[in-house]
Amino acid sequence: MPTIEPGAVRIGRRARRPASLALRVTAWVGLATTLTFLVAAWALEVSIEEHFAGQDLAQLRPVAQTLRLSLDDAAAGAGSVDLQRRFAETIADHHEVYFRVEGADGRVLYDATPSGLAARAHAEPAVQKLDAAALRIWTTGGRSYRGAVLRIDRDTVILATAIGYHLHFLAALQRALWLGTLSASAFSVLVAWLAVRQGHAPIRRIGARMRDVSSEHLDVRLDPDKVPVELSELVASFNAMLERIGQSFERLSNFSADIAHELRTPVTNLRTQTQVALSRARSAHDYREILYSNLEEYERMSAMIGDLLFLAQAEHQLLRPEPAEVDLGAEVAGLFEYFEAWAEERGVRLQAVGHARRIRGDRAMLRRALSNLLSNAIRHTAAGATVTVRLGSDASGWLEVCVENPGADITAEHLPHLFDRFYRVDPSRQRNGEGAGLGLAIVKSIVEAHGGSAGAVSAGGLTRFCMRLPAPASKARH
C-alpha cells in the first residue's frame, strides 16, 4: 500500500490556500467591468448597424415605389422604349442604388446591377413587401450590398444599394470599441487594485498593532473611532479579547505567585525543623515531635494540592457530579455538629433558619461547599456573634442556601473577586493557618457543576454568601 510523505501533505495543504482578498475583489471588479463594456460595445454596434439598415431601407423604398409605378404603366400599354427611359431615370436619381427587372417569363427587362449580384440574389426568395425583414446582405466582386428580391405583380425586381462605406465604418468602430474596452478594463482593474490596497491599509495597521502585543505589552488598545466603520466591530472585539487575556494573565501571574508563597511557608518550616533536628543528637521523643510537626505541614500541602487539582478539573469541565437525593437541611445539621467544638472555642453561635426540599446532586460535593462556607463564616465572626444558615427558594423555584455572619462590610470592588483563587481582600494579610484561600473558589466550582451560581453581598454589617441551585424538578448538569 503506497505511503504519503508528510511533506507532500503540507504541500497539498499549502496549494489549497484561499486566494487573497485583494485578488478576489480585483478579479471580480475586472470581470464585471469587462463584461459591462463588452455588452455596451455590442449594444452600440447593433444600434448603429440597425441605423444604417434603416437608412438603406429608406433609400430603397422610393426606388421600389418608382419601379412599381413604371411596371404598372407598362402593363397599361406604355411602350418598351418609354419604360427603359424611366428605368434609366430612376437609376440616375439615386446614387449607389442598383436594380434588375425580370419579366414573368424570365426575360430581363432592365439590368443595372454589378456582375454576379443577380446570381447571388436569386438564391433568396422573393417577397411582396419591402421592409427591414426582407433585406439581405450580398457580397460579390469584393463589394457588399444590402437589398431584397421583390415580387411586383408577375415581375421580379432585384433591388440593392452599396454598403461598403457602412461596413468600413462599423469595422473601424468595432476596433475602437475593442481597444476602448480593453483599455477601460485594464484601467478599472488597476484602479480596483489600488482601491483595495488602500482600503486594506487600516487592516495592515491593525495587524501591525497586533504584532506589538506580548505578555509585556497587554495594554495595547485600538481606537474604534480611527478605523472605518466596517472594522469598528473587529477592533472592539480585539480590545475585548485583550482585556480578557490581560485579566487572565494577571490572574495566572497572581496564581503562580500565590502558589509559590503558600508552598514556600511549609517548605521553609520543614527545612528549618529538619536542620534543627540534625544540628545535634536528640531523644526519640524529640524526633517524634519533629515528625509530627512535619506531618502537619505535609497535610497542609497535600490539602492545598488536592484543592488545586479539584479546581483544575472544574476549570476544564471534568467534574462529574454523581446525582442522588440530598437533604440540605440534614447536611447543614450534620455540619453544625462537626463545627460545634470549634465554634464554641471561638465563642460563635450557629443557627439554621427555614427549610429546604430535597434536590438531586452530588452529596459529597455539596457537603464540601457548605462546609467551606460555614468554616469561612466562623473564621470571620467575632466572639459572641451568630452565624446563620438560611434555607429557602426564590420566586422561580430555585433553591437558595445562604450563610451569613456579622462583621465589617466588604467593599463592592472586592465582591466580584471573592470566589477567585487565592484572592485576598487585604493583600498584606497573611493566612497563617487560615487556609490557602481556595475554599470559596471550590464552592463556586461545585455550584456551577450542578448548574447553579454562587454570589456574595455585604452591607449593613452583614456579609452573606449564597448558593443558588436548580429546583428539584430541574436536571443537574452532568
Side-chain angles (χ1 to χ4, degrees):
M1 181 176 180
T3 60
I4 300 177
E5 294 294 333
V9 175
R10 288 195 296 269
I11 292 175
R13 290 177 179 172
R14 195 178 303 121
R16 291 194 298 270
R17 181 178 180 178
S20 69
L21 294 178
L23 178 60
R24 294 183 188 184
V25 174
T26 303
W28 279 108
V29 170
L31 179 61
T33 304
T34 302
L35 289 177
T36 301
F37 278 110
L38 286 176
V39 171
W42 173 80
L44 178 62
E45 186 177 351
V46 170
S47 175
I48 293 177
E49 187 173 0
E50 290 179 350
H51 173 72
F52 285 156
Q55 285 185 333
D56 295 339
L57 180 61
Q59 188 175 9
L60 292 176
R61 273 178 174 168
V63 176
Q65 184 66 27
T66 301
L67 292 176
R68 185 180 296 276
L69 293 175
S70 299
L71 290 173
D72 288 344
D73 292 343
S80 174
V81 175
D82 186 53
L83 183 62
Q84 291 291 324
R85 180 180 57 79
R86 295 180 65 177
F87 285 159
E89 289 177 353
T90 302
I91 287 294
D93 292 340
H94 296 85
H95 180 65
E96 293 284 355
V97 174
Y98 310 94
F99 64 86
R100 174 188 174 102
V101 182
E102 299 177 355
D105 55 0
R107 181 171 55 89
V108 178
L109 303 179
Y110 187 87
D111 188 5
T113 59
S115 174
L117 181 61
R120 296 295 305 276
H122 279 146
E124 300 291 338
V127 297
Q128 300 293 331
K129 181 181 179 182
L130 182 62
D131 55 16
L135 295 180
R136 300 290 184 272
I137 295 178
W138 303 309
T139 301
T140 181
R143 299 187 65 189
S144 297
Y145 306 88
R146 179 180 280 115
V149 181
L150 294 177
R151 181 75 67 185
I152 301 178
D153 294 335
R154 298 176 61 189
D155 300 321
T156 302
V157 176
I158 299 174
L159 186 62
T161 181
I163 58 172
Y165 173 77
H166 293 170
L167 296 180
H168 178 73
F169 177 82
L170 288 174
L173 176 64
Q174 190 177 56
R175 288 193 298 270
L177 289 175
W178 273 104
L179 181 60
T181 298
L182 293 177
S183 301
S185 298
F187 178 74
S188 64
V189 168
L190 177 61
V191 171
W193 182 81
L194 292 175
V196 170
R197 181 172 177 80
Q198 183 64 25
H200 286 174
I203 298 179
R204 291 193 294 272
R205 288 194 293 269
I206 291 175
R209 290 285 287 168
M210 287 180 175
R211 285 192 290 272
D212 293 337
V213 177
S214 64
S215 58
E216 293 81 17
H217 299 90
L218 289 176
D219 58 339
V220 175
R221 295 294 184 272
L222 302 177
D223 189 352
D225 297 330
K226 293 185 179 180
V227 299
V229 64
E230 294 84 0
L231 299 178
S232 59
E233 185 174 352
L234 174 64
V235 168
S237 300
F238 174 72
N239 289 339
M241 178 191 68
L242 282 184
E243 188 69 27
R244 292 192 300 270
I245 292 176
Q247 293 175 357
S248 299
F249 189 80
E250 183 178 1
R251 285 197 301 268
L252 181 60
S253 299
N254 294 336
F255 179 60
S256 301
D258 287 331
I259 289 179
H261 173 77
E262 296 296 337
L263 290 177
R264 181 179 60 184
T265 300
V267 170
T268 300
N269 292 340
L270 289 170
R271 184 180 61 186
T272 301
Q273 291 174 6
T274 302
Q275 289 175 344
V276 171
L278 294 176
S279 63
R280 61 183 178 84
R282 299 180 183 275
S283 64
H285 174 75
D286 292 337
Y287 284 124
R288 188 178 295 110
E289 290 298 323
I290 293 173
L291 290 176
Y292 277 128
S293 177
N294 289 350
L295 180 60
E296 292 179 359
E297 299 295 344
Y298 286 131
E299 289 176 347
R300 178 184 175 189
M301 287 192 296
S302 177
M304 184 177 63
I305 293 171
D307 290 343
L308 289 173
L309 290 176
F310 183 89
L311 291 172
Q313 288 180 323
E315 187 173 327
H316 293 85
Q317 289 82 44
L318 297 178
L319 288 184
R320 295 292 183 266
E322 298 179 3
E325 292 292 331
V326 180
D327 186 344
L328 292 180
E331 295 299 327
V332 170
L335 289 174
F336 277 5
E337 294 181 4
Y338 179 78
F339 288 109
E340 183 178 4
W342 183 36
E344 288 181 356
E345 179 184 345
R346 297 181 62 92
V348 175
R349 294 185 298 275
L350 303 176
Q351 70 172 0
V353 178
H355 65 279
R357 293 169 290 174
R358 291 177 174 269
I359 66 168
R360 288 191 60 80
D362 191 300
R363 181 176 179 273
M365 286 188 183
L366 293 174
R367 185 180 179 87
R368 183 176 186 180
L370 289 170
S371 174
N372 288 352
L373 290 181
L374 198 54
S375 63
N376 183 71
I378 295 172
R379 183 180 301 112
H380 294 92
T381 300
T386 301
V387 173
T388 303
V389 178
R390 298 188 181 275
L391 303 171
S393 56
D394 60 12
S396 59
W398 282 63
L399 211 151
E400 287 186 337
V401 181
C402 297
V403 179
E404 60 184 36
N405 64 281
D409 291 347
I410 300 174
T411 57
E413 62 179 303
H414 295 295
L415 289 176
H417 305 289
L418 292 179
F419 292 91
D420 293 346
R421 290 172 292 188
F422 295 117
Y423 186 79
R424 291 183 177 91
V425 174
D426 181 6
S428 63
R429 180 175 174 265
Q430 304 297 323
R431 293 196 168 87
N432 293 329
E434 294 185 356
L438 300 174
L440 294 179
I442 291 174
V443 170
K444 181 181 178 182
S445 299
I446 291 174
V447 173
E448 289 181 349
H450 284 78
S453 60
V457 292
S458 184
L462 192 68
T463 300
R464 179 185 298 111
F465 291 88
C466 292
M467 299 190 308
R468 190 167 181 265
L469 297 167
S474 302
K475 283 181 104 173
R477 188 173 61 191
H478 293 274

mmCIF file with all atom_site columns, all heavy atoms in Angstrom, residues 53 69 88 105 136 215 248 281 288 300 307 309 393 400 413 422 437 448 455 467 473 477:
data_model
loop_
_atom_site.group_PDB
_atom_site.id
_atom_site.type_symbol
_atom_site.label_atom_id
_atom_site.label_alt_id
_atom_site.label_comp_id
_atom_site.label_asym_id
_atom_site.label_entity_id
_atom_site.label_seq_id
_atom_site.pdbx_PDB_ins_code
_atom_site.Cartn_x
_atom_site.Cartn_y
_atom_site.Cartn_z
_atom_site.occupancy
_atom_site.B_iso_or_equiv
_atom_site.pdbx_formal_charge
_atom_site.auth_seq_id
_atom_site.auth_comp_id
_atom_site.auth_asym_id
_atom_site.auth_atom_id
_atom_site.pdbx_PDB_model_num
ATOM 1   N N   . ALA A 1 53  ? -29.038 50.135 -41.515 1.00 0.00 ? 53  ALA A N   1
ATOM 2   C CA  . ALA A 1 53  ? -30.038 49.336 -42.239 1.00 0.00 ? 53  ALA A CA  1
ATOM 3   C C   . ALA A 1 53  ? -31.302 50.155 -42.493 1.00 0.00 ? 53  ALA A C   1
ATOM 4   O O   . ALA A 1 53  ? -31.923 50.064 -43.563 1.00 0.00 ? 53  ALA A O   1
ATOM 5   C CB  . ALA A 1 53  ? -30.362 48.073 -41.439 1.00 0.00 ? 53  ALA A CB  1
ATOM 6   N N   . LEU A 1 69  ? -44.613 51.816 -60.072 1.00 0.00 ? 69  LEU A N   1
ATOM 7   C CA  . LEU A 1 69  ? -45.426 52.672 -60.936 1.00 0.00 ? 69  LEU A CA  1
ATOM 8   C C   . LEU A 1 69  ? -45.075 52.477 -62.405 1.00 0.00 ? 69  LEU A C   1
ATOM 9   O O   . LEU A 1 69  ? -45.960 52.443 -63.290 1.00 0.00 ? 69  LEU A O   1
ATOM 10  C CB  . LEU A 1 69  ? -45.230 54.142 -60.544 1.00 0.00 ? 69  LEU A CB  1
ATOM 11  C CG  . LEU A 1 69  ? -45.759 54.536 -59.161 1.00 0.00 ? 69  LEU A CG  1
ATOM 12  C CD1 . LEU A 1 69  ? -45.390 55.981 -58.830 1.00 0.00 ? 69  LEU A CD1 1
ATOM 13  C CD2 . LEU A 1 69  ? -47.262 54.346 -59.092 1.00 0.00 ? 69  LEU A CD2 1
ATOM 14  N N   . ALA A 1 88  ? -33.976 54.125 -66.549 1.00 0.00 ? 88  ALA A N   1
ATOM 15  C CA  . ALA A 1 88  ? -32.687 54.824 -66.536 1.00 0.00 ? 88  ALA A CA  1
ATOM 16  C C   . ALA A 1 88  ? -32.763 56.083 -65.678 1.00 0.00 ? 88  ALA A C   1
ATOM 17  O O   . ALA A 1 88  ? -31.813 56.412 -64.955 1.00 0.00 ? 88  ALA A O   1
ATOM 18  C CB  . ALA A 1 88  ? -32.275 55.171 -67.967 1.00 0.00 ? 88  ALA A CB  1
ATOM 19  N N   . ASP A 1 105 ? -41.796 35.787 -67.695 1.00 0.00 ? 105 ASP A N   1
ATOM 20  C CA  . ASP A 1 105 ? -41.221 34.694 -68.472 1.00 0.00 ? 105 ASP A CA  1
ATOM 21  C C   . ASP A 1 105 ? -39.727 34.545 -68.240 1.00 0.00 ? 105 ASP A C   1
ATOM 22  O O   . ASP A 1 105 ? -39.051 33.762 -68.916 1.00 0.00 ? 105 ASP A O   1
ATOM 23  C CB  . ASP A 1 105 ? -41.505 34.905 -69.955 1.00 0.00 ? 105 ASP A CB  1
ATOM 24  C CG  . ASP A 1 105 ? -41.015 36.270 -70.430 1.00 0.00 ? 105 ASP A CG  1
ATOM 25  O OD1 . ASP A 1 105 ? -40.463 37.023 -69.580 1.00 0.00 ? 105 ASP A OD1 1
ATOM 26  O OD2 . ASP A 1 105 ? -41.188 36.590 -71.624 1.00 0.00 ? 105 ASP A OD2 1
ATOM 27  N N   . ARG A 1 136 ? -31.372 41.705 -47.231 1.00 0.00 ? 136 ARG A N   1
ATOM 28  C CA  . ARG A 1 136 ? -30.274 40.751 -47.126 1.00 0.00 ? 136 ARG A CA  1
ATOM 29  C C   . ARG A 1 136 ? -28.977 41.455 -47.529 1.00 0.00 ? 136 ARG A C   1
ATOM 30  O O   . ARG A 1 136 ? -28.989 42.478 -48.232 1.00 0.00 ? 136 ARG A O   1
ATOM 31  C CB  . ARG A 1 136 ? -30.502 39.541 -48.032 1.00 0.00 ? 136 ARG A CB  1
ATOM 32  C CG  . ARG A 1 136 ? -31.762 38.743 -47.727 1.00 0.00 ? 136 ARG A CG  1
ATOM 33  C CD  . ARG A 1 136 ? -31.606 38.001 -46.402 1.00 0.00 ? 136 ARG A CD  1
ATOM 34  N NE  . ARG A 1 136 ? -32.749 37.143 -46.121 1.00 0.00 ? 136 ARG A NE  1
ATOM 35  C CZ  . ARG A 1 136 ? -33.846 37.549 -45.494 1.00 0.00 ? 136 ARG A CZ  1
ATOM 36  N NH1 . ARG A 1 136 ? -33.957 38.810 -45.094 1.00 0.00 ? 136 ARG A NH1 1
ATOM 37  N NH2 . ARG A 1 136 ? -34.838 36.701 -45.280 1.00 0.00 ? 136 ARG A NH2 1
ATOM 38  N N   . SER A 1 215 ? 3.291   39.418 26.201  1.00 0.00 ? 215 SER A N   1
ATOM 39  C CA  . SER A 1 215 ? 2.996   39.320 27.634  1.00 0.00 ? 215 SER A CA  1
ATOM 40  C C   . SER A 1 215 ? 3.429   40.578 28.373  1.00 0.00 ? 215 SER A C   1
ATOM 41  O O   . SER A 1 215 ? 2.890   40.885 29.434  1.00 0.00 ? 215 SER A O   1
ATOM 42  C CB  . SER A 1 215 ? 3.702   38.094 28.229  1.00 0.00 ? 215 SER A CB  1
ATOM 43  O OG  . SER A 1 215 ? 5.106   38.169 28.015  1.00 0.00 ? 215 SER A OG  1
ATOM 44  N N   . SER A 1 248 ? -6.833  37.411 32.460  1.00 0.00 ? 248 SER A N   1
ATOM 45  C CA  . SER A 1 248 ? -6.421  36.012 32.677  1.00 0.00 ? 248 SER A CA  1
ATOM 46  C C   . SER A 1 248 ? -4.931  35.928 32.995  1.00 0.00 ? 248 SER A C   1
ATOM 47  O O   . SER A 1 248 ? -4.520  35.161 33.880  1.00 0.00 ? 248 SER A O   1
ATOM 48  C CB  . SER A 1 248 ? -6.742  35.175 31.437  1.00 0.00 ? 248 SER A CB  1
ATOM 49  O OG  . SER A 1 248 ? -8.124  35.170 31.162  1.00 0.00 ? 248 SER A OG  1
ATOM 50  N N   . ALA A 1 281 ? 22.350  15.575 68.329  1.00 0.00 ? 281 ALA A N   1
ATOM 51  C CA  . ALA A 1 281 ? 21.624  14.333 68.649  1.00 0.00 ? 281 ALA A CA  1
ATOM 52  C C   . ALA A 1 281 ? 20.474  14.642 69.591  1.00 0.00 ? 281 ALA A C   1
ATOM 53  O O   . ALA A 1 281 ? 20.601  15.451 70.528  1.00 0.00 ? 281 ALA A O   1
ATOM 54  C CB  . ALA A 1 281 ? 22.584  13.328 69.282  1.00 0.00 ? 281 ALA A CB  1
ATOM 55  N N   . ARG A 1 288 ? 10.225  12.331 67.440  1.00 0.00 ? 288 ARG A N   1
ATOM 56  C CA  . ARG A 1 288 ? 8.815   12.048 67.184  1.00 0.00 ? 288 ARG A CA  1
ATOM 57  C C   . ARG A 1 288 ? 8.024   13.365 67.090  1.00 0.00 ? 288 ARG A C   1
ATOM 58  O O   . ARG A 1 288 ? 7.158   13.520 66.234  1.00 0.00 ? 288 ARG A O   1
ATOM 59  C CB  . ARG A 1 288 ? 8.248   11.163 68.296  1.00 0.00 ? 288 ARG A CB  1
ATOM 60  C CG  . ARG A 1 288 ? 6.829   10.671 67.987  1.00 0.00 ? 288 ARG A CG  1
ATOM 61  C CD  . ARG A 1 288 ? 6.313   9.754  69.081  1.00 0.00 ? 288 ARG A CD  1
ATOM 62  N NE  . ARG A 1 288 ? 7.103   8.523  69.137  1.00 0.00 ? 288 ARG A NE  1
ATOM 63  C CZ  . ARG A 1 288 ? 7.946   8.198  70.104  1.00 0.00 ? 288 ARG A CZ  1
ATOM 64  N NH1 . ARG A 1 288 ? 8.130   9.059  71.113  1.00 0.00 ? 288 ARG A NH1 1
ATOM 65  N NH2 . ARG A 1 288 ? 8.607   7.070  70.076  1.00 0.00 ? 288 ARG A NH2 1
ATOM 66  N N   . ARG A 1 300 ? -0.961  19.926 55.223  1.00 0.00 ? 300 ARG A N   1
ATOM 67  C CA  . ARG A 1 300 ? -1.392  21.225 54.701  1.00 0.00 ? 300 ARG A CA  1
ATOM 68  C C   . ARG A 1 300 ? -1.080  21.333 53.203  1.00 0.00 ? 300 ARG A C   1
ATOM 69  O O   . ARG A 1 300 ? -1.935  21.765 52.409  1.00 0.00 ? 300 ARG A O   1
ATOM 70  C CB  . ARG A 1 300 ? -0.696  22.349 55.464  1.00 0.00 ? 300 ARG A CB  1
ATOM 71  C CG  . ARG A 1 300 ? -1.058  23.739 54.960  1.00 0.00 ? 300 ARG A CG  1
ATOM 72  C CD  . ARG A 1 300 ? -0.266  24.799 55.697  1.00 0.00 ? 300 ARG A CD  1
ATOM 73  N NE  . ARG A 1 300 ? -0.513  26.115 55.146  1.00 0.00 ? 300 ARG A NE  1
ATOM 74  C CZ  . ARG A 1 300 ? 0.160   27.206 55.480  1.00 0.00 ? 300 ARG A CZ  1
ATOM 75  N NH1 . ARG A 1 300 ? 1.143   27.122 56.387  1.00 0.00 ? 300 ARG A NH1 1
ATOM 76  N NH2 . ARG A 1 300 ? -0.134  28.365 54.931  1.00 0.00 ? 300 ARG A NH2 1
ATOM 77  N N   . ASP A 1 307 ? -6.855  20.620 46.537  1.00 0.00 ? 307 ASP A N   1
ATOM 78  C CA  . ASP A 1 307 ? -7.795  21.669 46.154  1.00 0.00 ? 307 ASP A CA  1
ATOM 79  C C   . ASP A 1 307 ? -7.460  22.226 44.768  1.00 0.00 ? 307 ASP A C   1
ATOM 80  O O   . ASP A 1 307 ? -8.358  22.494 43.953  1.00 0.00 ? 307 ASP A O   1
ATOM 81  C CB  . ASP A 1 307 ? -7.762  22.803 47.179  1.00 0.00 ? 307 ASP A CB  1
ATOM 82  C CG  . ASP A 1 307 ? -8.380  22.390 48.515  1.00 0.00 ? 307 ASP A CG  1
ATOM 83  O OD1 . ASP A 1 307 ? -9.098  21.369 48.537  1.00 0.00 ? 307 ASP A OD1 1
ATOM 84  O OD2 . ASP A 1 307 ? -8.137  23.088 49.515  1.00 0.00 ? 307 ASP A OD2 1
ATOM 85  N N   . LEU A 1 309 ? -5.953  20.657 42.303  1.00 0.00 ? 309 LEU A N   1
ATOM 86  C CA  . LEU A 1 309 ? -6.345  19.654 41.307  1.00 0.00 ? 309 LEU A CA  1
ATOM 87  C C   . LEU A 1 309 ? -7.855  19.668 41.094  1.00 0.00 ? 309 LEU A C   1
ATOM 88  O O   . LEU A 1 309 ? -8.338  19.534 39.966  1.00 0.00 ? 309 LEU A O   1
ATOM 89  C CB  . LEU A 1 309 ? -5.877  18.269 41.749  1.00 0.00 ? 309 LEU A CB  1
ATOM 90  C CG  . LEU A 1 309 ? -4.365  18.026 41.706  1.00 0.00 ? 309 LEU A CG  1
ATOM 91  C CD1 . LEU A 1 309 ? -4.028  16.653 42.272  1.00 0.00 ? 309 LEU A CD1 1
ATOM 92  C CD2 . LEU A 1 309 ? -3.851  18.128 40.274  1.00 0.00 ? 309 LEU A CD2 1
ATOM 93  N N   . SER A 1 393 ? -36.189 29.126 48.913  1.00 0.00 ? 393 SER A N   1
ATOM 94  C CA  . SER A 1 393 ? -36.218 29.134 47.448  1.00 0.00 ? 393 SER A CA  1
ATOM 95  C C   . SER A 1 393 ? -36.729 30.482 46.996  1.00 0.00 ? 393 SER A C   1
ATOM 96  O O   . SER A 1 393 ? -37.445 31.177 47.721  1.00 0.00 ? 393 SER A O   1
ATOM 97  C CB  . SER A 1 393 ? -37.102 28.006 46.917  1.00 0.00 ? 393 SER A CB  1
ATOM 98  O OG  . SER A 1 393 ? -38.420 28.104 47.459  1.00 0.00 ? 393 SER A OG  1
ATOM 99  N N   . GLU A 1 400 ? -32.140 28.154 47.399  1.00 0.00 ? 400 GLU A N   1
ATOM 100 C CA  . GLU A 1 400 ? -31.079 29.030 47.864  1.00 0.00 ? 400 GLU A CA  1
ATOM 101 C C   . GLU A 1 400 ? -30.621 28.601 49.259  1.00 0.00 ? 400 GLU A C   1
ATOM 102 O O   . GLU A 1 400 ? -31.445 28.327 50.132  1.00 0.00 ? 400 GLU A O   1
ATOM 103 C CB  . GLU A 1 400 ? -31.551 30.485 47.908  1.00 0.00 ? 400 GLU A CB  1
ATOM 104 C CG  . GLU A 1 400 ? -31.709 31.126 46.551  1.00 0.00 ? 400 GLU A CG  1
ATOM 105 C CD  . GLU A 1 400 ? -32.036 32.603 46.647  1.00 0.00 ? 400 GLU A CD  1
ATOM 106 O OE1 . GLU A 1 400 ? -32.565 33.015 47.702  1.00 0.00 ? 400 GLU A OE1 1
ATOM 107 O OE2 . GLU A 1 400 ? -31.747 33.325 45.685  1.00 0.00 ? 400 GLU A OE2 1
ATOM 108 N N   . GLU A 1 413 ? -15.934 46.712 45.348  1.00 0.00 ? 413 GLU A N   1
ATOM 109 C CA  . GLU A 1 413 ? -14.901 46.356 44.372  1.00 0.00 ? 413 GLU A CA  1
ATOM 110 C C   . GLU A 1 413 ? -14.338 44.955 44.616  1.00 0.00 ? 413 GLU A C   1
ATOM 111 O O   . GLU A 1 413 ? -13.829 44.315 43.687  1.00 0.00 ? 413 GLU A O   1
ATOM 112 C CB  . GLU A 1 413 ? -13.757 47.374 44.433  1.00 0.00 ? 413 GLU A CB  1
ATOM 113 C CG  . GLU A 1 413 ? -13.052 47.409 45.784  1.00 0.00 ? 413 GLU A CG  1
ATOM 114 C CD  . GLU A 1 413 ? -11.915 48.411 45.804  1.00 0.00 ? 413 GLU A CD  1
ATOM 115 O OE1 . GLU A 1 413 ? -11.020 48.287 44.956  1.00 0.00 ? 413 GLU A OE1 1
ATOM 116 O OE2 . GLU A 1 413 ? -11.947 49.307 46.665  1.00 0.00 ? 413 GLU A OE2 1
ATOM 117 N N   . PHE A 1 422 ? -7.100  32.228 45.620  1.00 0.00 ? 422 PHE A N   1
ATOM 118 C CA  . PHE A 1 422 ? -6.071  32.962 46.355  1.00 0.00 ? 422 PHE A CA  1
ATOM 119 C C   . PHE A 1 422 ? -6.380  34.456 46.497  1.00 0.00 ? 422 PHE A C   1
ATOM 120 O O   . PHE A 1 422 ? -5.492  35.239 46.816  1.00 0.00 ? 422 PHE A O   1
ATOM 121 C CB  . PHE A 1 422 ? -4.691  32.815 45.696  1.00 0.00 ? 422 PHE A CB  1
ATOM 122 C CG  . PHE A 1 422 ? -4.146  31.417 45.722  1.00 0.00 ? 422 PHE A CG  1
ATOM 123 C CD1 . PHE A 1 422 ? -3.909  30.736 44.548  1.00 0.00 ? 422 PHE A CD1 1
ATOM 124 C CD2 . PHE A 1 422 ? -3.871  30.779 46.916  1.00 0.00 ? 422 PHE A CD2 1
ATOM 125 C CE1 . PHE A 1 422 ? -3.409  29.458 44.558  1.00 0.00 ? 422 PHE A CE1 1
ATOM 126 C CE2 . PHE A 1 422 ? -3.360  29.492 46.929  1.00 0.00 ? 422 PHE A CE2 1
ATOM 127 C CZ  . PHE A 1 422 ? -3.145  28.823 45.747  1.00 0.00 ? 422 PHE A CZ  1
ATOM 128 N N   . GLY A 1 437 ? -6.892  29.935 50.803  1.00 0.00 ? 437 GLY A N   1
ATOM 129 C CA  . GLY A 1 437 ? -7.694  30.859 50.019  1.00 0.00 ? 437 GLY A CA  1
ATOM 130 C C   . GLY A 1 437 ? -8.354  30.222 48.819  1.00 0.00 ? 437 GLY A C   1
ATOM 131 O O   . GLY A 1 437 ? -8.635  30.917 47.832  1.00 0.00 ? 437 GLY A O   1
ATOM 132 N N   . GLU A 1 448 ? -21.477 25.580 40.201  1.00 0.00 ? 448 GLU A N   1
ATOM 133 C CA  . GLU A 1 448 ? -21.619 25.668 38.746  1.00 0.00 ? 448 GLU A CA  1
ATOM 134 C C   . GLU A 1 448 ? -21.663 24.288 38.114  1.00 0.00 ? 448 GLU A C   1
ATOM 135 O O   . GLU A 1 448 ? -22.329 24.093 37.091  1.00 0.00 ? 448 GLU A O   1
ATOM 136 C CB  . GLU A 1 448 ? -20.461 26.488 38.166  1.00 0.00 ? 448 GLU A CB  1
ATOM 137 C CG  . GLU A 1 448 ? -20.551 27.969 38.507  1.00 0.00 ? 448 GLU A CG  1
ATOM 138 C CD  . GLU A 1 448 ? -19.412 28.761 37.917  1.00 0.00 ? 448 GLU A CD  1
ATOM 139 O OE1 . GLU A 1 448 ? -18.439 28.136 37.428  1.00 0.00 ? 448 GLU A OE1 1
ATOM 140 O OE2 . GLU A 1 448 ? -19.479 30.019 37.940  1.00 0.00 ? 448 GLU A OE2 1
ATOM 141 N N   . GLY A 1 455 ? -22.802 33.652 44.830  1.00 0.00 ? 455 GLY A N   1
ATOM 142 C CA  . GLY A 1 455 ? -22.591 35.081 44.915  1.00 0.00 ? 455 GLY A CA  1
ATOM 143 C C   . GLY A 1 455 ? -22.455 35.536 46.353  1.00 0.00 ? 455 GLY A C   1
ATOM 144 O O   . GLY A 1 455 ? -22.639 34.754 47.290  1.00 0.00 ? 455 GLY A O   1
ATOM 145 N N   . MET A 1 467 ? -25.585 30.126 47.767  1.00 0.00 ? 467 MET A N   1
ATOM 146 C CA  . MET A 1 467 ? -25.547 29.141 46.682  1.00 0.00 ? 467 MET A CA  1
ATOM 147 C C   . MET A 1 467 ? -26.957 29.056 46.097  1.00 0.00 ? 467 MET A C   1
ATOM 148 O O   . MET A 1 467 ? -27.927 28.867 46.838  1.00 0.00 ? 467 MET A O   1
ATOM 149 C CB  . MET A 1 467 ? -25.116 27.765 47.182  1.00 0.00 ? 467 MET A CB  1
ATOM 150 C CG  . MET A 1 467 ? -23.735 27.718 47.787  1.00 0.00 ? 467 MET A CG  1
ATOM 151 S SD  . MET A 1 467 ? -23.178 26.015 48.081  1.00 0.00 ? 467 MET A SD  1
ATOM 152 C CE  . MET A 1 467 ? -24.564 25.353 49.022  1.00 0.00 ? 467 MET A CE  1
ATOM 153 N N   . ALA A 1 473 ? -37.107 19.786 40.359  1.00 0.00 ? 473 ALA A N   1
ATOM 154 C CA  . ALA A 1 473 ? -37.594 19.281 39.073  1.00 0.00 ? 473 ALA A CA  1
ATOM 155 C C   . ALA A 1 473 ? -36.581 19.496 37.972  1.00 0.00 ? 473 ALA A C   1
ATOM 156 O O   . ALA A 1 473 ? -36.671 18.889 36.908  1.00 0.00 ? 473 ALA A O   1
ATOM 157 C CB  . ALA A 1 473 ? -38.903 19.972 38.686  1.00 0.00 ? 473 ALA A CB  1
ATOM 158 N N   . ARG A 1 477 ? -26.563 19.570 35.983  1.00 0.00 ? 477 ARG A N   1
ATOM 159 C CA  . ARG A 1 477 ? -25.703 19.483 34.819  1.00 0.00 ? 477 ARG A CA  1
ATOM 160 C C   . ARG A 1 477 ? -24.642 18.423 35.025  1.00 0.00 ? 477 ARG A C   1
ATOM 161 O O   . ARG A 1 477 ? -23.965 18.387 36.020  1.00 0.00 ? 477 ARG A O   1
ATOM 162 C CB  . ARG A 1 477 ? -25.032 20.859 34.570  1.00 0.00 ? 477 ARG A CB  1
ATOM 163 C CG  . ARG A 1 477 ? -24.271 20.911 33.286  1.00 0.00 ? 477 ARG A CG  1
ATOM 164 C CD  . ARG A 1 477 ? -23.781 22.311 33.027  1.00 0.00 ? 477 ARG A CD  1
ATOM 165 N NE  . ARG A 1 477 ? -22.886 22.736 34.108  1.00 0.00 ? 477 ARG A NE  1
ATOM 166 C CZ  . ARG A 1 477 ? -22.477 23.974 34.243  1.00 0.00 ? 477 ARG A CZ  1
ATOM 167 N NH1 . ARG A 1 477 ? -22.884 24.900 33.441  1.00 0.00 ? 477 ARG A NH1 1
ATOM 168 N NH2 . ARG A 1 477 ? -21.647 24.279 35.253  1.00 0.00 ? 477 ARG A NH2 1
#
